[in-house]
Amino acid sequence: MSALPRSYNPFAEDEEEDVAPAAPGGAGGTDRQRYLQQEVLRRSAATADSTTRSLSLLYESERIGVAASEELIRQGEALKRTEQMVDKMDQDLKTSQRHINSIKSVWGGLVNYFKAKPPESKPEQNGASEYYANSRLKEAMMSSKEQESKYQESHPNLRKLDDSDNDFNKADLVSSVQRDAYPKNQQLRAYHQKIDTNLDEMSSGLSRLKSLALGLQTEIEEQDDMLDRLTKKVETLDVNIKNTDRKVRQL
């Protein structure tokens, strides 16, 4: 029994296609071979384009995640400044209450004279301290910011119009060991290499997105604690202001 003609293999080298002897009714077989080869190439090209678009969306998601992280850090800085202002107001209110007691009666003045002054907050704790985001979020942001150039290269409106889009020029850069794992057809091999490269990049991008998400979660939890602490301080300050206002009206 004779073997199938080599021309039926759409993955064969172009120069090998002419080696097989022509079979009866070879015109129809050749047309079918050409159709199958074009269909395989078309599907491979569509898959490569699909992974490229997915990779572009992944880079854009990272960019949005970095922007959200930066905005969250600015919000944390604003909360920190607000908490410092509330602490300063509480300190000033305590000083005002001491003065009111001195004015109210001689006995109150004597009590304030012998009473220890409330400890004043140090500038490092109550006015000049900076806000620091959690280390997990900062590391994830730094890792994602390094991909900004890849985002610009992958974006259709930002990438440069040069010959870098022709990935077939990079087909000869793979080692002989890697070359054996791909089809023999050069064009099909280039598509497969591009798909594998995009999938590797997508795996790394998803890992970076996960780190960003975990960092954002940690930062949000820390700011929630800060908001609860700030809410309690504001409520206490409001009560003290009302008491001080009542004492001033009684003078």
Side-chain angles (χ1 to χ4, degrees):
M1 183 173 61
S2 61
L4 289 176
R6 188 184 300 271
S7 60
Y8 276 90
N9 184 4
F11 301 98
E13 294 280 0
D14 295 337
E15 60 270 14
E16 295 178 357
E17 294 180 0
D18 298 334
V19 177
T30 303
D31 292 341
R32 179 175 176 79
Q33 174 203 1
R34 187 179 297 109
Y35 169 77
L36 291 176
Q37 185 175 9
Q38 292 178 354
E39 184 68 14
V40 169
L41 291 176
R42 185 186 67 81
R43 291 178 180 271
S44 299
T47 303
D49 292 340
S50 177
T51 56
T52 300
R53 289 192 299 270
S54 300
L55 190 59
S56 177
L57 293 175
L58 192 61
Y59 288 144
E60 185 175 3
S61 300
E62 279 192 82
R63 185 182 64 85
I64 295 174
V66 170
S69 301
E70 292 175 344
E71 183 63 28
L72 190 62
I73 291 176
R74 284 193 291 269
Q75 176 179 298
E77 293 173 351
L79 288 175
K80 184 67 174 180
R81 289 193 299 269
T82 303
E83 186 176 15
Q84 292 171 356
M85 292 175 59
V86 171
D87 291 340
K88 184 64 169 58
M89 292 173 63
D90 183 68
Q91 188 69 31
D92 294 341
L93 189 60
K94 291 178 180 179
T95 303
S96 300
Q97 290 176 349
R98 287 174 56 84
H99 293 165
I100 291 173
N101 292 335
S102 300
I103 297 173
K104 196 171 183 180
S105 64
V106 177
W107 174 251
L110 292 174
V111 171
N112 287 336
Y113 180 79
F114 291 104
K115 186 178 180 180
K117 294 182 179 180
E120 296 183 358
S121 300
K122 296 181 180 180
E124 293 81 7
Q125 299 177 351
N126 201 27
S129 60
E130 298 180 358
Y131 177 79
Y132 298 97
N134 68 87
S135 58
R136 173 181 288 182
L137 180 59
K138 293 173 65 176
E139 293 175 359
M141 289 176 59
M142 291 178 59
S143 177
S144 294
K145 282 184 176 180
E146 295 175 356
Q147 312 301 319
E148 181 68 22
S149 59
K150 293 184 178 180
Y151 164 72
Q152 294 179 358
E153 292 174 358
S154 64
H155 198 283
N157 296 331
L158 298 178
R159 63 184 176 184
K160 298 179 181 178
L161 298 178
D162 52 16
D163 296 333
S164 60
D165 290 337
N166 188 5
D167 295 323
F168 301 124
N169 296 331
K170 304 177 183 178
D172 297 332
L173 299 179
V174 296
S175 64
S176 59
V177 178
Q178 293 175 331
R179 190 186 301 272
D180 294 339
Y182 294 105
K184 293 182 178 181
N185 183 277
Q186 183 178 2
Q187 191 175 9
L188 190 62
R189 180 172 64 245
Y191 283 133
H192 283 209
Q193 292 171 358
K194 181 179 179 61
I195 292 171
D196 287 348
T197 301
N198 288 345
L199 290 177
D200 290 340
E201 289 291 333
M202 289 171 64
S203 177
S204 301
L206 289 173
S207 178
R208 291 191 300 269
L209 276 178
K210 179 181 178 181
S211 299
L212 266 177
L214 293 175
L216 285 169
Q217 180 183 6
T218 303
E219 182 68 19
I220 291 174
E221 290 175 353
E222 293 179 356
Q223 292 193 19
D224 283 343
D225 295 338
M226 186 184 300
L227 281 171
D228 293 339
R229 185 172 64 250
L230 181 59
T231 300
K232 294 178 181 178
K233 288 183 178 182
V234 171
E235 291 175 353
T236 302
L237 182 63
D238 182 64
V239 173
N240 292 336
I241 289 176
K242 291 179 180 179
N243 292 336
T244 303
D245 180 69
R246 185 173 62 254
K247 291 180 180 178
V248 171
R249 293 178 182 277
Q250 291 175 355
L251 290 179

